[in-house]
Amino acid sequence: MISLKYNYIIIIVIFFLSLFYSLPNLLGENPVVIINKIDNFTDIERNKIIDSIKNKKNTKIFNENNILFEFNTIENQFEAYNTLKDCLPNDTKLYLDLYPSEYLKIFDKIGAKPMRFGLDLRGGVSFLIKIDINSVKKNNIKLQFNFIKNYLKKNSIKFDYIKIDKNSNIKIKLKNNKENFYIFNLIKNKFNNLICIEDSDNILSIKLNKDEKKNLKKNLIIKTLSVLSNRINELGISDSIVHQYGKDKIIVEIPGIQNIDHAKSILGKTATLKFMFLDTENKINKYLDNNKNYGSKLFYDKNKNSYLLKKDIILSGDSIIYATSGFESNLNKPCINIKIDKYSAKKFEKITMKNIGRPMAIVYKENYTVNNKIFTKEHIISIATIMNVLSDNFQITGLNINESKDLALLLRSGSLPSNISILEEKVIGPTLGKTNILNGFKSFLISFFIIVIFMLLMYKKFGIISFISLLMNVLLMISFMSILGATLTLPGIAGIVLTIGMSIDANILIFERIKEESVKNFNINETLIKGFNNAISSIIDANLTTLIIGLSLFILAYGPIKGFAITLSLGIITSIYTSIFVTKNLLFLVKKF
Amino acid sequence: MNINFFKLSKFLNFFSLILILISLFIIFNNKFEMGLEFIGGIEIKIYSKKNIDINFIKNSFVKYDGIKIRSYGSEKTLILKIKNNNSIKILDEFKNEINSLNNINNMELKILTMEYIGAEINDDIIKKSINAIFLSIILMFIYLILRFDLYFALSGIISLFHNIIIILCIISYFKIELNLLLLSAIFALFGYSVNDTVVIFDRIRENLNLKNNNDITSIINLSLNSTLSRTIKTSLSTILVVIILFIFNTDLYYFSLILNLGIIIGTYSSIFISTFYIYFLTNLKVNKNNLKESPDS
């Protein structure tokens, strides 16, 4: 009997815990607009801000550095966001976010928060983005190709040809086969990421080894993920999701926003800088007339003036680790402060030391995609004479304020390591989300009560047990989802409703068994225990088979449907607890009445 | 209660076999109306407070090849859909078109959702779907072998295929769009179908161990009778909640419709199909053993 007492205590504690962690979902969160670093503003400015969005229903909360405007609808929030954006100075940071309502703050302290709503319930935009792995591989092999070619020339090894074939393998045929060992040694000593095979007809075939391919892919995806989430944060959108899907795809989910044109243009931009020397030896006219390659290339600045630049790149945007926009101290022109990594800084230092007095050009390069084809545009943003040795920290000028800001954002968030293309774009309006929430909630409540009535009709007082264990099951599911930070979607709600219908099966199994036993047995205790024990094996079998399906679906699913897999699987796990532990102990309580 | 299910079993299995053949024929003839996730395209859902004149909208979008426009739930919501189109630009064109309808014709149209799915994603999703389907069937099969034996496992999987083929036939015949959401309903049916069957299997195994009676038909009959009440009640409770989903959520219309049909078929097959194959396969084994033994004796 003592152990039973403990069981009841456990059940009650778990019940209250799950109730507590589920409650935030009823209280909800409100859409807010946050203005950062408010202490930079004067009181007049503050009042102006507050006046400008007075008519949109909102409340305001002052923190130490922020003002927070709370709105009752997403539409109001968004309208106010746009108004504020227009009237605030350019460098103010504005954030769209959800903020727990007043009551919620107590819960917030112990980590109880409402479930995340998926885009289909909340409205927002989602992108499925594909990373161009092949082009990165190709670029990589091109680098190696140039190195090997130079090596061959330097050591005057004669070759029939050296080329990159369509499978991105470097193929070399040497004039003298006996010299093949040069290449083998070179690959062995210098490139531990390449492998070299000799084909039957004395053609050497060089390609990336497996580990290198894997690393390349892994780094590419990690880099892209971090760049994308950096950019979204820089844009002032919090609460977004960026994660990998499949081998070479990334999902970006941005809740709340409908007007995505700016976000979209920033997300996929691959803008970067490169530093090149001005070619002072060759005349532009000559270059244009002969169209000969002097190791230089023609570039234009914004005013369509043309310059010849040496093809060798002194410093590329990849080396930049941090960038901010600001104003240059001497001439008070807008500038970008750039910080580059140590390794590049050393190289850059050497080059600039050797070339003091020589003019250098800074080139802006941007890739853009039209109809899945990639185009590049490049232009010179400034040409300056190297005055002193440049190292890891320096400034560049030549762009206006907005351009500097956008470019600094892009450089700061890192350049995308490859081109990306949008495979899927979904925009879900907030109206639909609201209807979905309402309908989902309705079907959840009604199905809950219909099942309870169904069980009461079928099993009379035993139906009360079903009611309690079903209630606990639902609370546990909701609290687990809230704690785990799982996303609730419309199919997810369907999963919960389906769980209500299916998890009651365990109770039905137990009660049916008890009914059977009660015919054979007159001892109530024995009837209950036997009935329950007989049912356990079936309950476990039935639940585990469904769990297998839930988990398989989890692999396939993305977006809203993942929510279905989550709630279905979670519902099975919680219902095993409620049907076995809760129902069992409640059975002995009912017996007393 | 004592119903002789087995008497019906032979007839119903014959009936099901013919049903399956017809279903396969229909599936191969009609194919499937694939959803956007599998073939790519554009879908836009628009809404207006007043009823929308669908013909007027159709005329305004007539220049787009292969566009399909239909009402969704009520006269106030329309779905515009172009399949097999790989240009994300059309999304913007549609947006402009709808804006101009609003400005020029005062239509008060509101865009509820917009969706663009490029063709490149499809291979991946199709591959993943097939992988997930095979994975779940194999895992289910292994589970059944471990918990029961090969004959039970085979019978369970046969009845699973039976259910799925009939459901796929319904989807194919009525040209219901097979999208990822519907696929997850089919997945749920995988689970439900085996869930329903496994309880009956459990009882058969229990009775096989309990009774020394070798007559498998009477054991199956006994087990079916004693689990009948549970089978019906569980199906009923699940059908009830799915009906509620069906009533309240337009977005889950086909999802819940297919779930409900699947539950009904699953209940039927777990009573008549799966149990029949246990009998059938065990008999096959017994006959084989008899054949082996007979030359010696």
Side-chain angles (χ1 to χ4, degrees), chain A residues 423 425 427 429 505 513 537 541, chain B residues 112 116 118 147 202-203 234:
Chain A
L423 290 187
E425 179 183 330
V427 185
D505 176 46
R513 279 298 183 134
S537 144
D541 277 336
Chain B
L112 289 178
Y116 159 82
R147 285 288 287 171
D202 233 29
R203 190 56 80 97
T234 297

Side-chain angles (χ1 to χ4, degrees), chain A residues 337-365:
Chain A
N337 302 305
I338 286 176
K339 195 176 156 69
I340 58 176
D341 63 70
K342 268 188 191 161
Y343 176 76
S344 309
K346 257 186 205 162
K347 262 170 73 184
F348 197 46
E349 217 177 286
K350 260 187 201 164
I351 295 176
T352 47
M353 204 189 317
K354 271 188 203 161
N355 292 288
I356 286 178
R358 206 172 157 187
M360 177 178 74
I362 299 161
V363 178
Y364 173 91
K365 182 186 172 188

Side-chain angles (χ1 to χ4, degrees), chain B residues 30-262:
Chain B
N30 277 25
K31 303 279 185 316
F32 292 107
E33 186 89 13
M34 289 302 218
L36 287 191
E37 293 100 332
F38 297 107
I39 48 172
I42 288 154
E43 186 186 295
I44 294 188
K45 223 180 267 175
I46 51 174
Y47 168 85
S48 172
K49 278 176 190 157
K50 27 188 194 189
N51 284 356
I52 306 174
D53 179 6
I54 188 163
N55 287 323
F56 187 80
I57 302 280
K58 271 182 181 165
N59 281 333
S60 342
F61 282 91
V62 80
K63 62 182 166 215
Y64 296 99
D65 274 344
I67 190 166
K68 277 184 185 162
I69 301 176
R70 59 181 173 84
S71 58
Y72 183 75
S74 72
E75 298 274 298
K76 290 170 180 157
T77 315
L78 288 188
I79 285 189
L80 293 80
K81 195 178 276 188
I82 297 185
K83 283 182 179 171
N84 283 321
N85 195 308
N86 302 328
S87 165
I88 200 163
K89 264 193 174 170
I90 291 197
L91 212 55
D92 293 327
E93 282 179 39
F94 271 37
K95 238 195 292 188
N96 294 336
E97 201 77 48
I98 287 164
N99 280 337
S100 72
L101 278 176
N102 280 344
N103 294 335
I104 300 165
N105 304 306
N106 286 326
M107 300 278 280
E108 290 177 50
L109 300 173
K110 223 173 166 184
I111 296 176
L112 289 178
T113 63
M114 268 195 311
E115 209 167 314
Y116 159 82
I117 298 178
E120 281 175 82
I121 184 176
N122 323 325
D123 297 346
D124 208 51
I125 288 196
I126 290 172
K127 225 188 270 166
K128 271 195 169 181
S129 310
I130 291 171
N131 283 348
I133 288 168
F134 275 108
L135 181 76
S136 53
I137 289 175
I138 288 167
L139 285 178
M140 203 77 100
F141 192 56
I142 292 171
Y143 183 84
L144 289 177
I145 288 179
L146 291 179
R147 285 288 287 171
F148 301 92
D149 64 21
L150 185 66
Y151 297 110
F152 280 78
L154 277 175
S155 314
I157 297 296
I158 287 171
S159 98
L160 174 69
F161 273 109
H162 166 267
N163 303 344
I164 299 307
I165 288 171
I166 293 175
I167 278 298
L168 286 178
C169 163
I170 292 170
I171 292 170
S172 165
Y173 185 77
F174 291 100
K175 298 205 182 319
I176 298 170
E177 190 181 283
L178 185 62
N179 52 26
L180 223 46
L181 185 64
L182 205 67
L183 195 68
S184 53
I186 294 172
F187 259 90
L189 287 178
F190 274 35
Y192 189 84
S193 156
V194 178
N195 174 316
D196 221 20
T197 310
V198 120
V199 174
I200 296 171
F201 281 8
D202 233 29
R203 190 56 80 97
I204 294 175
R205 181 178 54 184
E206 193 182 313
N207 286 337
L208 275 173
N209 294 338
L210 226 67
K211 302 202 163 66
N212 295 322
N213 191 346
N214 276 331
D215 180 20
I216 186 121
T217 44
S218 68
I219 286 181
I220 290 175
N221 234 336
L222 178 72
S223 310
L224 281 175
N225 273 299
S226 44
T227 50
L228 185 65
S229 170
R230 174 266 169 183
T231 308
I232 289 172
K233 280 173 188 165
T234 297
S235 300
L236 216 64
S237 73
T238 318
I239 286 172
L240 277 176
V241 295
V242 178
I243 286 177
I244 290 160
L245 279 181
F246 181 78
I247 294 171
F248 284 100
N249 300 279
T250 331
D251 281 354
L252 297 174
Y253 184 85
Y254 287 116
F255 174 85
S256 37
L257 185 71
I258 287 302
L259 263 182
N260 252 345
L261 290 174

